[in-house]
């Protein structure tokens, strides 16, 4: 069940469950997913894109998604994030995964892998290479 969640609660949940990233400092909106007994099992933070080239006014970014491993929680959050972003007027939602992550939940939520130019996404010193995913309004250009 998708639900609103307080930012402070989402920060604490993400700090507790996320494997390698700290919770983001800010987000345009945060959503949660709960079990039928109202136990919080995942959170998603959505904000404007971090990379300036994508910050075009019609694109939002999933800046952090954390779950406790509950099946389908990631896909539910990604689908809800897209519906909420569209309701706010966004025409495109992007997200990144590490190159060693399969993106199964993104595929299940309707995201597609964005082909990257040669050299894009390669790791810099201390950084892990990432893969870009997107979902957009049908027939729309971001």
């Amino acid at each position: 069940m998708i639900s609103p969640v307080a930012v402070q609660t989402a920060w604490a949940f993400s700090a507790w469950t996320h494997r390698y990233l700290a919770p983001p400092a800010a987000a345009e909106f945060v959503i949660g997913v709960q079990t039928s007994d109202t136990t919080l099992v995942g959170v998603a933070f959505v904000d404007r894109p971090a990379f300036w080239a994508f910050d075009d006014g019609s694109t939002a970014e999933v800046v952090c998604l954390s779950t406790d491993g509950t099946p389908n929680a990631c896909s539910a959050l990604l689908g809800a994030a897209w519906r909420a972003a569209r309701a706010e007027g966004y025409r495109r939602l992007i997200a990144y995964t590490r190159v060693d992550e399969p993106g199964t939940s993104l595929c299940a939520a309707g995201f597609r892998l964005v082909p990257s130019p040669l050299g894009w996404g390669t790791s810099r010193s201390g950084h892990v290479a990432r893969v870009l995913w997107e979902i957009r309004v049908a027939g729309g250009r971001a």
Side-chain angles (χ1 to χ4, degrees):
M1 175 172 46
I2 299 299
S3 64
V5 61
V7 174
Q8 295 82 358
T9 301
W11 282 334
F13 183 88
S14 184
W16 173 62
T17 59
H18 209 285
R19 295 184 301 248
Y20 45 82
L21 288 177
E28 191 167 312
F29 64 88
V30 180
I31 53 175
V33 63
Q34 301 176 346
T35 61
S36 57
D37 68 355
T38 70
T39 301
L40 184 65
V41 296
V43 296
F45 296 80
V46 177
D47 203 4
R48 291 174 48 186
F51 182 45
W52 65 269
F54 295 143
D55 192 6
D56 57 8
S58 65
T59 302
E61 178 179 336
V62 178
V63 293
C64 182
L65 188 139
S66 300
T67 73
D68 66 357
T70 298
N72 304 315
C74 287
S75 299
L77 283 168
L78 289 164
W82 176 227
R83 290 188 300 275
R86 280 194 337 251
E88 296 222 2
Y90 290 104
R91 301 184 52 77
R92 180 180 182 218
L93 182 63
I94 61 173
Y96 295 94
T97 59
R98 295 165 45 123
V99 294
D100 59 347
E101 295 174 328
T104 305
S105 296
L106 288 154
C107 287
F111 283 71
R112 69 173 186 84
L113 187 62
V114 177
S116 60
L118 187 61
W120 186 89
T122 57
S123 62
R124 298 180 302 207
S125 175
H127 292 91
V128 175
R130 301 182 303 164
V131 177
L132 177 64
W133 297 81
E134 73 173 2
I135 189 168
R136 60 175 63 221
V137 173
R141 292 178 49 115

